[in-house]
Amino acid sequence: MEIETPNFAPGVCMGTWKQIGGRTVKLFHVGWTVGGIPGHAESVRFELRELNTVSHDRISFDGTYDQKFFDANGNLVAEDIGTIQATRISVNQFTDQSDAAAIK
C-alpha cells in the first residue's frame, strides 16, 4: 500500500484488507491524529489491525482489533486492544415512500 494522494488528510484513514478464510478477513489501516488523542497530544499517526468474521447471513460481523498510536519519531505512545461487533444497517430507511418514488 502506498499513500501518495493529496486527499490523505486529518480525519482520513487508508487501508487494505485480505480474505483469509471463508468468512474471515484481516484489515490494516493507517491514519493521522493531528492534535493527538486524549492523554497523548504527541500522537501523530495510528495503525489499526482487525481480524473479523462475517456472520453466515452476512448481516453482522465480530472480531478483534489492535490500534497503536505513534509519535513523530515512531515511538509507541498508546495502544487500544479489544473486540468489535457490528450489524449492517439497511439502505431502505424511507418508510414513507417506495424506491421508485425516491428516484428523481
Side-chain angles (χ1 to χ4, degrees):
M1 175 177 68
E2 290 185 29
I3 301 172
E4 296 175 359
T5 174
N7 295 326
F8 193 63
V12 175
C13 67
M14 292 191 172
T16 187
W17 62 274
K18 179 180 181 180
Q19 185 171 355
I20 60 170
R23 296 177 296 115
T24 303
V25 296
K26 64 180 177 178
L27 297 92
F28 177 70
H29 284 260
V30 296
W32 303 113
T33 57
V34 176
I37 59 171
H40 296 281
E42 72 278 15
S43 172
V44 297
R45 70 176 180 88
F46 70 86
E47 295 178 355
L48 173 64
R49 291 165 176 81
E50 294 183 12
L51 183 63
N52 299 319
T53 300
V54 178
S55 64
H56 287 285
D57 61 8
R58 300 180 354 175
I59 300 298
S60 63
F61 72 85
D62 63 348
T64 59
Y65 71 89
D66 182 0
Q67 189 167 20
K68 296 179 179 182
F69 299 88
F70 300 91
D71 66 15
N73 294 316
N75 299 308
L76 180 67
V77 296
E79 183 172 20
D80 183 24
I81 299 172
T83 59
I84 52 178
Q85 193 282 327
T87 302
R88 182 183 304 241
I89 60 173
S90 172
V91 69
N92 297 318
Q93 299 299 316
F94 295 100
T95 58
D96 60 341
Q97 58 186 214
S98 69
D99 289 343
I103 299 172
K104 294 186 181 191

